[in-house]
Amino acid sequence: MRTPLHRVLGLGSAHSGTEHFWRQRLTGLANVPLTIGFVIVVIAIAGRPYSEVVSVLSSPFVAILLLLLVLSVVVHMRLGMQVVIEDYIHGALTRPLALIANTFFAAVVGAGSAFAILKLAFGG
């Protein structure tokens, strides 16, 4: 039996409603302009000498663009893989371990990418 409140909130059996769905759609939408910006930056630095590439990538605007792209892509990747794991891995031990590994992998990729961008941005 569902209460009217549950119907309004959209809470399913997992009590998470559509939050996961909207996060994935929002990060996917954010990835579009961020990826276009990234492609423009890559085209702009193609064929330039190393010092010019470092100069372009260390500018605040480009560094912020890249950090936002990494954040959005990593969150989107984690959410997408979570759905795949939940749908196709059914072991009582395997599923939680795969979900934990997915989260740690996303965190390591995000932290490593952010470190590289920040190192370039601050001239390390």
Side-chain angles (χ1 to χ4, degrees):
M1 181 172 181
R2 297 186 80 185
T3 65
L5 180 61
H6 270 256
R7 222 173 289 121
V8 170
L9 295 176
L11 298 176
S13 61
H15 303 289
S16 62
T18 57
E19 182 179 346
H20 188 275
F21 173 85
W22 281 110
R23 280 187 186 169
Q24 189 156 15
R25 296 321 178 264
L26 220 87
T27 56
L29 185 62
N31 287 345
V32 173
L34 293 170
T35 302
I36 291 170
F38 174 71
V39 169
I40 291 169
V41 169
V42 169
I43 290 170
I45 62 176
R48 289 191 178 188
Y50 177 78
S51 60
E52 287 182 33
V53 171
V54 170
S55 175
V56 169
L57 294 179
S58 64
S59 73
F61 178 76
V62 174
I64 290 170
L65 171 82
L66 293 176
L67 285 171
L68 289 173
L69 176 67
V70 166
L71 175 68
S72 182
V73 166
V74 165
V75 170
H76 188 75
M77 172 186 69
R78 185 186 151 278
L79 291 171
M81 283 307 300
Q82 179 181 340
V83 170
V84 171
I85 291 167
E86 289 170 347
D87 286 348
Y88 295 106
I89 298 181
H90 302 292
L93 181 64
T94 318
R95 178 187 279 180
L97 289 177
L99 289 170
I100 291 168
N102 179 44
T103 300
F104 280 119
F105 178 75
V108 168
V109 168
S113 300
F115 175 76
I117 294 166
L118 291 172
K119 187 169 177 159
L120 267 175
F122 294 119

